[in-house]
């Protein structure tokens, strides 16, 4: 069993910062691409940031220059550093990852259960 657990969400003032963490645990052979999604209330889920197995990163235009995705492979953890937060960043943030489990060759995508980020003055 593979589990992804997010942490670090909360209430923050506009202009503030938060760092989200997503730790993967279980029988993991290899983690490939890791991602952060978000879903604002009443809106579609969108991909926020992505980091590949080679370390290359991609961001949605609205967070470029403010958010940074990074990873710690030794801890099977991906982070999302969020700076200069805006009201429109309010959403439930979900991590996901493409993971190869031990003793398998198939890659599956796993999701965390989400962590709430609320930006409010």
């Amino acid at each position: 069993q593979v589990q992804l657990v997010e942490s670090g969400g909360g209430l923050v003032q506009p202009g503030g910062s938060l760092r989200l963490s997503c730790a993967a645990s279980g029988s993991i052979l290899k983690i490939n691409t890791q991602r952060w999604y978000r879903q604002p209330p009443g809106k579609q889920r969108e991909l926020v940031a992505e980091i590949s197995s080679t370390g290359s990163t991609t961001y949605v235009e609205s967070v470029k220059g403010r958010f940074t995705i990074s990873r710690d492979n030794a801890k099977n953890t991906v982070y999302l550093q969020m700076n200069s937060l805006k009201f429109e960043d309010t959403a439930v943030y979900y991590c996901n990852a493409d993971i190869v489990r031990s003793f398998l060759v198939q890659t599956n995508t796993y999701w965390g259960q989400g962590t709430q980020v609320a930006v409010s003055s």
Side-chain angles (χ1 to χ4, degrees), residues 18 27 39 51 63 73 79 83 93 97:
L18 285 174
S27 300
Q39 187 165 22
I51 184 167
V63 309
N73 289 338
Y79 304 94
N83 299 325
Y93 284 72

Side-chain angles (χ1 to χ4, degrees), residues 97-118:
D98 299 333
I99 295 175
V100 181
R101 293 181 62 188
S102 297
F103 307 108
L104 298 175
V105 296
Q106 181 182 357
T107 300
N108 291 311
T109 299
Y110 297 87
W111 289 84
Q113 294 190 357
T115 185
Q116 176 70 244
V117 172

Side-chain angles (χ1 to χ4, degrees), residues 25-92:
S25 62
S27 300
I28 297 171
L29 178 64
K30 187 178 188 298
I31 299 178
N32 293 322
T33 303
Q34 295 163 289
R35 307 171 185 90
W36 285 98
Y37 287 82
R38 68 184 180 187
Q39 187 165 22
K43 296 184 178 181
Q44 298 279 350
R45 181 186 64 190
E46 69 172 347
L47 177 64
V48 177
E50 187 175 76
I51 184 167
S52 74
S53 60
T54 62
S56 62
T57 58
T58 304
Y59 301 91
V60 68
E61 191 68 27
S62 61
V63 309
K64 287 182 178 178
R66 300 189 297 120
F67 290 11
T68 303
I69 187 170
S70 62
R71 66 186 183 186
D72 185 336
N73 289 338
K75 298 180 179 179
N76 288 333
T77 298
V78 63
Y79 304 94
L80 186 67
Q81 178 66 47
M82 304 184 294
N83 299 325
S84 301
L85 283 161
K86 304 174 181 179
F87 173 79
E88 50 264 41
D89 296 319
T90 295
V92 177

Side-chain angles (χ1 to χ4, degrees), residues 1-16:
Q1 180 65 40
V2 173
Q3 293 180 305
L4 303 182
V5 179
E6 300 101 336
S7 62
L11 177 65
V12 65
Q13 295 180 348

